[in-house]
Amino acid sequence: MTKNDTGTIVKLGRDAISQLRDIETRFKVIAGEDGKIDQAELQAGLGLHDAEYAARIFGLIDRDGSGTVTLWEFIDFAQILLTGSPDEKLRIVFDLHDLNGDGTIDKAELTHILDRSLNEHHLDIPPHKLDALSEAMFQKVDADGSKSITFGEFKACIDSHPALKEQMVANSATWLRLPERIERDRRRQHGRLLHNLTEGAIRLWENERPWLVLLVLYFAANAWMFRGGVLAEIQLGSDLFTQIAQGAAACLKLNGAIILIAMLRHSLTFLRRTWFGPFLPLDHAIAFHKIVGHVTFLCAVIHVGGYIGAYESIIDPDFFTRDVVYGELFKSRVGWTGLTLIGLFLVMWIFSLRFVRDKGLFDLFYITHQLYWLWFAFFLLHVPGFWMWVVGPGALYLIERGIRLVHGLKTTDLQQADALSSNVTRLRMTRPDWFHYQPGEYVFLKHPMISSFEWHPFTATSNPEETEMLELHVRGVGNWTHKLHDLAQQPVPERPAAWTRVYLDGPYGSPASDIFDSKIPVLIGAGIGVTPFASILRSILHQRQQGAASQMQRIYFIWMNRDQKAFEWFVDLMAQLEEDPATRDVIEIQVYLTGLRAELTSASLTVAMEVYHQETGRDLLTGLHAPTRLSRPDWQSVFKSIRQAHPDQAVDVFYCGPEGLSRVLLREAGRFDFGYKKENF
């Protein structure tokens, strides 16, 4: 045995010992004071959904059949999953299926455990599909036709899927829900911190150059304004506190004008459609608005703090008492308007923080944000010369508000409101004559029955070529969207008479609308993040059916969901894309169900679904030709295969979904020299 081999064995041994210690801790948490685990405690402790499935697993751990699991039984079982051979781990899976313990699996046993496995993973299929799934699996594994499956046959079947086997064996202990070793992971991450930061900076510059240039110019402009304000006070002989306060005041003038520019949605959409749109960081308009908002609030705090410091420095018990100084200040126009401004800004800033919207309190954010009208009014009273800064952006903003007001006076008829799975509502409404949009663009919607003043942005899921109707899919994440879903759940005759009256504002451009400029686009949607791509794919289908020319050579569409039923939103569209001669050879669809745990307990189900797909040419869950992968995508492998298929061509990734995954995609896309754009709202 070589030194390298010895080192590897020592490393694995230490890792296994560490994990066994974690398992012991986990056991004690589940067992409680009596130091033993019964079946109900195991099911709850491991987060198992199906009681029969939990009972089978409990029986495998409870070696002596006592009805309770001791620490040593728990560790003995876990040790096999951690350090056992692949055959020992597969034997556990085999025994899970062998209900009567006779050493073989018959058709009834296989069907039963597949049914329980589907239920455990919250998958729902009709009985005839379950029978077809079991039959396909049984015929595949029962190589000798003996009407029973031996361990050797079962192992041979798993061995024929090497990638799946490797994944299962590597993750064999994850189903025990071991606590994450946070400190160890932090140390490993810290060891690569410099490398990750350097690599991330390079990728960010390659993908976001216009955005970074804008940020540099923006902060340089703020520094210049601050410097100018300070120098002006130095010439007047002011103290240091006043210099700082006036430096911040100069920045407030700049930011008070800039903050409106990022909200000129019609103007930014127009720029996006021009030839120089791709060279502008228009995708980051909302992010820029947030940055300007935070900087403005910081400058306001510095401005107030500077003057407080200046006033405190002149307080004298014999002449200028604190009551006199602040009393005179708040009687003045500058004093009371300044106090009002900081109060308004504090309310707006607090309720615009992310945690407010994450808690589903969008209505509070929306209501308090309307205070900006008062803020600008009091700013003009506080600093009369501010009008010179805001007149240009303010005029454009008022024009856009006028357009929105005109549109907001015209009702649109809501034809359908359907409550779909996963708390999603599908809306189909009459498309107004004035509403002309491009695929991937979004619209603001107001439903007076839910709120008479709130407007919410949603991506159009219909294609522009459908001139009569406009379709939206709305996910329930807050009070407004949940009320909309509740309305859609009511039978049509029981809905209030005014349920069909809605208002539209838009359309507005988004990064997804740039897809038609790409030759090899990769569309990645997570959950309801599929909505902009639904409109785009429908438009591509229509254009290709009409024989329209396009520079797109290959389209990759990747859709991930945690919930099986969520695929029902657009499964008809995906089936049409697969079947239609105009698109079936151009679009490659990849579907991932990410809510399952890729481990030993789902091994037979995963293999059975692959066998079913091989036999029928259809996926068990969606009915598509594209198989549903019961795992999270390995993005490095996914992007590597795309790069190998297009070694010398530009590939662009378009993503809509959670921010956490966006950071991963940005990093991985950069490694393969892919462009990257993320949908922002």
Side-chain angles (χ1 to χ4, degrees):
M1 184 176 292
T2 65
K3 181 178 181 180
N4 186 47
D5 290 338
T6 303
T8 302
I9 291 173
V10 170
K11 181 179 179 181
L12 287 174
R14 289 175 179 173
D15 187 56
I17 291 172
S18 176
Q19 292 193 50
L20 286 172
R21 287 174 178 167
D22 292 331
I23 291 173
E24 180 179 357
T25 302
R26 184 60 175 163
F27 174 88
K28 292 177 180 178
V29 171
I30 298 174
E33 295 181 359
D34 64 355
K36 295 181 180 180
I37 298 176
D38 59 28
Q39 182 178 318
E41 289 174 327
L42 183 78
Q43 181 177 352
L46 298 185
L48 299 172
H49 167 67
D50 186 83
E52 288 190 45
Y53 202 74
R56 288 297 303 156
I57 295 174
F58 183 83
L60 296 177
I61 304 176
D62 182 21
R63 298 290 180 88
D64 61 7
S66 63
T68 58
V69 172
T70 65
L71 172 61
W72 298 115
E73 286 177 318
F74 198 75
I75 289 181
D76 283 345
F77 183 77
Q79 194 167 3
I80 297 175
L81 299 182
L82 290 170
T83 62
S85 67
D87 285 1
E88 288 176 315
K89 296 176 183 181
L90 290 180
R91 172 61 73 172
I92 291 177
V93 183
F94 184 84
D95 291 342
L96 181 67
H97 294 70
D98 183 12
L99 301 180
N100 59 14
D102 65 355
T104 62
I105 303 171
D106 59 28
K107 176 74 177 302
E109 289 175 320
L110 180 64
T111 303
H112 181 80
I113 205 65
L114 286 176
D115 180 42
R116 294 301 87 202
S117 183
L118 286 164
N119 187 53
E120 169 61 28
H121 295 94
H122 304 279
L123 300 177
D124 183 26
I125 63 173
H128 73 275
K129 279 196 172 183
L130 174 61
D131 292 338
L133 176 69
S134 178
E135 179 65 25
M137 177 70 171
F138 198 81
Q139 293 298 327
K140 172 75 173 180
V141 183
D142 183 21
D144 60 5
S146 63
K147 305 299 182 182
S148 63
I149 300 173
T150 64
F151 176 71
E153 290 173 324
F154 184 82
K155 178 179 178 300
C157 178
I158 299 296
D159 287 343
S160 66
H161 298 77
L164 173 64
K165 179 181 179 181
E166 181 180 357
Q167 183 184 37
M168 290 189 307
V169 170
N171 299 329
S172 57
T174 59
W175 67 303
L176 293 178
R177 295 286 184 92
L178 302 181
E180 296 181 3
R181 284 174 294 281
I182 298 175
E183 291 302 321
R184 186 198 68 178
D185 293 342
R186 283 179 178 174
R187 288 194 297 270
R188 290 181 177 179
Q189 184 67 23
H190 180 73
R192 300 187 60 195
L193 181 60
L194 181 60
H195 170 77
N196 292 338
L197 288 176
T198 303
E199 186 180 70
I202 294 173
R203 304 306 178 203
L204 189 63
W205 174 251
E206 292 175 348
N207 285 280
E208 305 289 358
R209 196 168 302 170
W211 169 234
L212 295 177
V213 170
L214 173 63
L215 290 180
V216 170
L217 293 175
Y218 167 70
F219 285 109
N222 272 278
W224 179 263
M225 293 297 297
F226 187 87
R227 173 181 177 274
V230 170
L231 290 178
E233 291 300 317
I234 290 176
Q235 292 178 355
L236 295 174
S238 301
D239 60 274
L240 178 61
F241 290 114
T242 303
Q243 295 171 21
I244 294 174
Q246 284 302 104
C251 293
L252 282 170
K253 296 175 186 177
L254 172 67
N255 286 279
I258 290 178
I259 201 167
L260 289 176
I261 296 176
M263 290 292 100
L264 298 176
R265 297 191 184 97
H266 285 288
S267 301
L268 298 180
T269 299
F270 171 78
L271 289 174
R272 181 184 293 278
R273 294 174 179 176
T274 62
W275 66 268
F276 54 88
F279 302 100
L280 300 174
L282 301 177
D283 299 342
H284 299 280
I286 294 178
F288 186 60
H289 176 77
K290 293 177 181 178
I291 290 173
V292 175
H294 290 310
V295 171
T296 306
F297 182 71
L298 176 62
C299 290
V301 172
I302 294 174
H303 179 68
V304 172
Y307 271 115
I308 289 176
Y311 298 147
E312 289 291 328
S313 66
I314 64 173
I315 289 175
D316 187 318
D318 298 325
F319 297 99
F320 299 106
T321 64
R322 186 170 282 104
D323 291 341
V324 170
V325 171
Y326 287 104
E328 292 298 320
L329 171 66
F330 295 139
K331 290 178 184 178
S332 68
R333 173 182 55 81
V334 173
W336 67 263
T337 55
L339 182 64
T340 304
L341 279 169
I342 195 66
L344 289 171
F345 212 154
L346 182 62
V347 173
M348 292 169 60
W349 183 76
I350 290 175
F351 285 99
S352 66
L353 296 177
R354 186 183 183 113
F355 79 89
V356 175
R357 283 169 289 172
D358 287 346
K359 290 183 177 294
L361 302 176
F362 182 88
D363 48 351
L364 283 177
F365 157 74
Y366 184 87
I367 293 170
T368 56
H369 228 60
Q370 300 310 305
L371 294 173
Y372 75 91
W373 291 104
L374 285 175
W375 188 86
F376 275 103
F378 279 102
F379 202 165
L380 287 168
L381 286 174
H382 188 70
V383 184
F386 177 59
W387 71 269
M388 292 184 292
W389 288 86
V390 78
V391 62
L396 285 175
Y397 186 76
L398 289 175
I399 291 172
E400 291 210 4
R401 292 296 300 187
I403 295 173
R404 296 183 206 176
L405 179 62
V406 171
H407 290 168
L409 295 175
K410 301 176 181 178
T411 61
T412 299
D413 291 329
L414 186 59
Q415 303 291 338
Q416 290 178 246
D418 304 317
L420 305 181
S421 60
S422 303
N423 202 25
V424 168
T425 307
R426 178 177 59 201
L427 305 176
R428 285 184 65 83
M429 63 201 72
T430 303
R431 179 175 163 183
D433 295 336
W434 54 266
F435 191 84
H436 304 288
Y437 70 105
Q438 294 183 0
E441 294 186 335
Y442 67 97
V443 60
F444 277 83
L445 176 73
K446 182 174 75 171
H447 198 306
M449 279 195 57
I450 300 175
S451 174
S452 59
F453 57 86
E454 289 186 42
W455 292 84
H456 292 258
F458 305 107
T459 304
T461 51
S462 54
N463 55 304
E465 293 80 10
E466 188 177 359
T467 57
E468 301 296 326
M469 299 292 292
L470 175 68
E471 182 180 85
L472 307 175
H473 282 68
V474 178
R475 182 169 65 95
V477 293
N479 295 334
W480 193 95
T481 51
H482 281 123
K483 289 179 181 178
L484 180 66
H485 192 71
D486 292 340
L487 174 66
Q489 288 179 315
Q490 299 177 17
V492 174
E494 298 179 12
R495 296 175 187 174
W499 76 272
T500 61
R501 186 163 58 94
V502 296
Y503 297 87
L504 294 176
D505 173 39
Y508 299 113
S510 68
S513 58
D514 298 335
I515 287 172
F516 290 88
D517 297 326
S518 176
K519 293 183 179 180
I520 314 291
V522 181
L523 320 182
I524 302 175
I528 199 63
V530 70
T531 51
F533 306 132
S535 175
I536 288 165
L537 291 172
R538 282 173 169 163
S539 187
I540 291 172
L541 175 62
H542 177 84
Q543 292 176 17
R544 289 188 170 269
Q545 287 175 335
Q546 301 301 315
S550 172
Q551 67 173 355
M552 292 186 186
Q553 300 173 8
R554 186 70 172 172
I555 304 164
Y556 296 89
F557 174 49
I558 302 172
W559 188 14
M560 299 165 289
N561 271 310
R562 293 187 58 82
D563 181 4
Q564 169 202 357
K565 293 186 180 298
F567 291 118
E568 297 173 4
W569 304 336
F570 299 110
V571 70
D572 292 340
L573 169 61
M574 292 190 287
Q576 192 175 4
L577 292 168
E578 285 187 331
E579 299 291 347
D580 198 292
T583 54
R584 65 189 179 196
D585 296 327
V586 178
I587 297 178
E588 179 180 319
I589 298 174
Q590 297 181 26
V591 177
Y592 292 86
L593 186 60
T594 60
L596 274 71
R597 294 170 292 181
E599 57 198 30
L600 288 177
T601 58
S602 61
S604 59
L605 175 60
T606 307
V607 173
M609 287 184 61
E610 289 192 14
V611 171
Y612 179 89
H613 183 266
Q614 293 170 358
E615 293 293 322
T616 65
R618 297 282 183 178
D619 180 68
L620 176 73
L621 303 180
T622 65
L624 298 172
H625 292 300
T628 299
R629 297 166 169 85
L630 306 182
S631 64
R632 298 180 182 275
D634 179 349
W635 293 112
Q636 189 169 7
S637 298
V638 171
F639 289 168
K640 182 179 181 180
S641 65
I642 294 174
R643 173 51 74 202
Q644 289 174 342
H646 311 280
D648 302 317
Q649 294 173 288
V651 178
D652 298 295
V653 175
F654 297 84
Y655 169 68
C656 186
E659 182 63 35
L661 179 55
S662 177
R663 292 190 289 269
V664 175
L665 292 174
L666 174 62
R667 181 183 68 244
E668 295 300 331
R671 289 179 178 175
F672 294 92
D673 197 27
F674 293 171
Y676 182 77
K677 289 193 175 184
K678 176 187 178 297
E679 200 74 9
N680 297 293
F681 284 103

